[in-house]
Amino acid sequence: METSDAPVKPGPGEWWQTGVIYHIYLRSFKDTNGDGVGDLRGVIEQLDYLGETLGVDALWVSPFYPSPQKDCGYDIADFTAVDPLFGDLATFDELVERMHRRGLRLIIDYVPNHTSDQHSWFVEARASQDNPKRAWYVWADPKPDGSPPNNWTSEMGGSAWAWDAATGQYYLHSHYADQPDLNWRTPEVKEAMFDVLRFWLGRGVDGVRIDVAHMIMKDPDLRDNPPNPEGAPSPFDLQHPDFSAQRHVHDRRHPDLHGVYREMRALLDAYGQERPRMAIGEVEVMPWDDWIAYFGAELDELHLPFNFGLIETPWTAPALRASVGALERALPAGAWPNYVLGNHDRARLASRVGPAQARVAAMLLLTLRGTPTLYYGDELGGADAPIPPALRHDSLGRDAARTPLPWTGGPHAGFSAPSTPALWLPLAPDYRAVNVAHQRAESRSMLALYRRLLSYRKATPALRVGSYEAIDGGTEQCYVYARMTSTMRLIVALNLTGEPVEVRGRAWAGGKIALSTYLDRTESLRQDTLPLRADEGLIVEAPHQ
Ligand code: GLC
Ligand code: CA
């Protein structure tokens, strides 16, 4: 399968450029065996919803591997199997087969930075200091006073080092202590983890979402991170409680990781001779110049480093315009943009921007230049759910954005059979009104808006592959931009406020409103003012200039 042919350079119009990715948090998508936890069979059962009703192009499915579930499956005990909680390999193969038959692509989670402490590699590694697997993880002696080897902090808070009394050393865990970090400087680790990729690519997956892609290499000398005097915590970032107290120059983003991604790209490209394969990396928000490095100097690393810029951007027209503009300017020629507004580690979109602006957000996400990733449930406008302390799974509060998808207003919201004793997390309290069945029947629901935006995008080359240009007619209240091909010019105007506004400009005179976020108007525009209602977004088909 693998050859040494020249790297496959993406042409314009690859599926991961023109398509829309839907992020399935598997535990909460659809349960088919009555245990209250979503499963792979549930995805198979809802392919009509995903491919036809909604009309997305690719699914990113969160981890389904055997795991003690200390970090909801991101603590993996076996990289090449399916946890019985979610199904089995035969069900996985069936999912791939059925998706491909419909032209849907599958992206799986690939977690290279760490394993579960129950993984056989770690069980061996911690057996003794001279165990052959010892060097597969990052071990270090204590300081003379017995304290951890350096000041690195875990993403979950506290020191990143756990004391192993039996062998008298600390091991590194950039997340929970149950998730020891692999040592990618050990050649056998790289080989074993590349074998994991070969396993899944051989089973037909179209892409991998690389968990904490910026973390796999660390300073080999384990130097202390310098303090960060300006560090201000982000209110939206549940996952990095004391993150900004340090400048993470030694425990993350080590330049040596780029060599790994170049090799990984060659491996993906080798499989790509048969069918294109891609890698999308979870890369934290960082200065754009550092972020673009993940594409590779020759565009020979990740196809897409996730762009979380908009999640961190204040919800105002000038800030959004600046964030998109900064990305557009930073992108190297040939690199493809992407946008994310919802994620299983963040507060829900509708809770961050409010229910009215969530409709504007939908239009923004699906009309910018670049691949959108849509988080499950955001298509209903679902908000964060309150989770009573006794029912919490996650110490960082991330459960609130991970509740079971409400399919109906019936028992267990149609997520599980009525006889199911309990769901793994409670439903959002408003599920009787906010659910798929209800919103399918309502012509102006949030789901109706997403469906319309997705089908419009699919049918409109200016949105899929056209250029982007911010338009000055945008005001403090409105973010206005154009998407263009040689034959079509679209204007997107988004009112980021709860007050009606008018934007002026010649760009749309003689044009026609193709879509309002209220789904209630499609009129021709005679003058050069564009009136927007409170919290309204519009797509205008403008005369071509
Ligand atoms: C990523 C995942 C997050 C997980 C962490 C550790 O950030 O998105 O859910 O806790 O990695 O794997
Ligand atoms: Ca189940």
Side-chain angles (χ1 to χ4, degrees):
M1 177 98 267
E2 281 170 58
T3 68
S4 55
D5 285 354
V8 182
K9 293 286 179 214
E14 299 280 357
W15 65 267
W16 48 268
Q17 298 175 310
T18 57
V20 175
I21 301 172
Y22 184 89
H23 172 183
I24 290 187
Y25 196 68
L26 189 58
R27 301 180 71 91
S28 282
F29 187 66
K30 177 82 175 112
D31 170 30
T32 57
N33 65 347
D35 63 359
V37 180
D39 42 51
L40 291 174
R41 174 71 51 202
V43 182
I44 293 176
E45 281 191 3
Q46 294 301 337
L47 287 179
D48 273 344
Y49 171 72
L50 295 160
E52 313 301 324
T53 307
L54 203 52
V56 296
D57 304 281
L59 307 179
W60 153 29
V61 177
S62 65
F64 45 76
Y65 316 102
S67 161
Q69 302 289 332
K70 295 280 169 55
D71 186 17
C72 285
Y74 283 95
D75 50 322
I76 298 172
D78 180 352
F79 287 108
T80 53
V82 174
D83 195 306
L85 183 63
F86 299 116
D88 53 23
L89 270 178
T91 314
F92 177 84
D93 291 341
E94 185 184 332
L95 173 65
V96 174
E97 218 260 317
R98 292 205 191 203
M99 285 181 62
H100 285 171
R101 244 192 279 154
R102 292 166 176 262
L104 288 169
R105 312 294 178 138
L106 178 61
I107 300 170
I108 60 168
D109 236 298
Y110 175 64
V111 183
N113 183 67
H114 45 268
T115 68
S116 159
D117 62 354
Q118 304 302 305
H119 196 294
S120 63
W121 300 343
F122 190 71
V123 173
E124 284 183 52
R126 82 185 313 175
S128 67
Q129 286 207 22
D130 56 8
N131 187 280
K133 288 269 182 338
R134 188 76 170 181
W136 284 42
Y137 294 85
V138 184
W139 295 90
D141 292 330
K143 285 189 176 163
D145 67 357
S147 63
N150 64 26
N151 70 353
W152 295 356
T153 57
S154 147
E155 298 269 304
M156 309 335 204
S159 170
W161 295 94
W163 177 242
D164 184 54
T167 58
Q169 281 192 310
Y170 282 95
Y171 66 85
L172 181 69
H173 59 89
S174 299
H175 299 84
Y176 291 122
D178 319 87
Q179 293 164 292
D181 281 32
L182 283 164
N183 184 355
W184 277 75
R185 294 187 185 276
T186 298
E188 291 84 357
V189 167
K190 190 184 75 188
E191 265 324 297
M193 289 308 290
F194 277 20
D195 277 346
V196 170
L197 280 177
R198 292 183 184 99
F199 179 87
W200 294 108
L201 292 167
R203 295 193 104 88
V205 308
D206 301 283
V208 287
R209 174 267 187 186
I210 305 175
D211 192 66
V212 290
H214 57 290
M215 292 178 59
I216 60 170
M217 283 280 189
K218 285 92 182 172
D219 176 31
D221 300 326
L222 307 180
R223 281 171 288 180
D224 274 349
N225 282 324
N228 180 18
E230 299 107 68
S234 159
F236 301 133
D237 201 339
L238 301 171
Q239 206 186 320
H240 307 106
D242 42 20
F243 179 80
S244 37
Q246 296 180 359
R247 289 180 45 232
H248 293 273
V249 289
H250 294 314
D251 57 347
R252 299 169 173 86
R253 313 175 186 185
H254 195 282
D256 290 350
L257 55 75
H258 293 293
V260 174
Y261 291 130
R262 277 193 292 278
E263 281 187 57
M264 202 180 277
R265 176 61 173 265
L267 192 153
L268 290 166
D269 284 350
Y271 282 86
Q273 312 273 337
E274 172 200 13
R275 204 153 39 73
R277 315 293 174 107
M278 63 87 76
I280 183 162
E282 185 196 21
V283 171
E284 72 190 14
V285 174
M286 53 177 82
W288 291 112
D289 283 349
D290 296 341
W291 183 82
I292 61 169
Y294 289 79
F295 287 104
E298 309 285 329
L299 298 191
D300 52 358
E301 297 183 31
L302 306 185
H303 297 75
L304 300 174
F306 262 129
N307 168 19
F308 297 111
L310 290 184
I311 290 191
E312 304 278 332
T313 302
W315 202 251
T316 67
L320 292 171
R321 188 186 298 127
S323 175
V324 173
L327 169 70
E328 286 280 347
R329 277 190 302 280
L331 274 181
W336 189 254
N338 78 91
Y339 293 95
V340 181
L341 278 177
N343 184 275
H344 66 298
D345 296 324
R346 314 291 178 119
R348 280 257 179 208
L349 174 60
S351 296
R352 299 198 319 267
V353 304
Q357 280 293 316
R359 295 179 81 97
V360 175
M363 185 171 275
L364 174 70
L365 181 67
L366 293 171
T367 58
L368 283 172
R369 186 178 85 90
T371 310
T373 298
L374 168 58
Y375 185 48
Y376 90 101
D378 281 356
E379 75 270 30
L380 307 175
D384 281 345
I387 312 289
L391 300 178
R392 286 183 194 159
H393 283 250
D394 183 65
S395 62
L396 301 178
R398 295 176 294 177
D399 293 328
R402 299 175 173 179
T403 54
L405 188 69
W407 292 94
T408 69
H412 292 322
F415 170 79
S416 286
S419 56
T420 303
L423 307 189
W424 82 280
L425 272 184
L427 293 160
D430 57 1
Y431 79 91
R432 282 194 183 79
V434 180
N435 63 67
V436 173
H438 186 95
Q439 294 201 8
R440 276 183 82 150
E442 282 225 340
S443 60
R444 291 175 191 167
S445 64
M446 182 69 102
L447 181 58
L449 173 62
Y450 269 96
R451 294 176 69 178
R452 183 79 186 94
L453 281 164
L454 281 157
S455 66
Y456 188 77
R457 182 183 173 95
K458 192 161 278 177
T460 309
L463 289 183
R464 291 207 319 276
V465 296
S467 62
Y468 163 90
E469 193 185 296
I471 291 184
D472 282 343
T475 60
E476 289 294 298
Q477 295 85 36
C478 272
Y479 174 24
V480 186
Y481 49 93
R483 301 291 321 278
M484 280 167 296
T485 60
S486 55
T487 56
M488 189 177 201
R489 182 178 166 85
L490 292 182
I491 309 288
V492 181
L494 306 173
N495 181 358
L496 275 293
T497 73
E499 304 291 328
V501 291
E502 273 194 352
V503 283
R504 290 177 181 281
R506 304 190 42 141
W508 41 81
K512 178 176 173 294
I513 295 176
L515 185 51
S516 157
T517 48
Y518 289 102
L519 296 173
D520 61 353
R521 61 161 159 164
T522 50
E523 73 220 27
S524 296
L525 296 166
R526 294 210 162 61
Q527 331 101 9
D528 55 6
T529 53
L530 183 62
L532 288 130
R533 289 168 285 172
D535 304 301
E536 184 174 33
L538 293 175
I539 301 177
V540 176
E541 290 172 359
H544 199 263
Q545 293 166 340

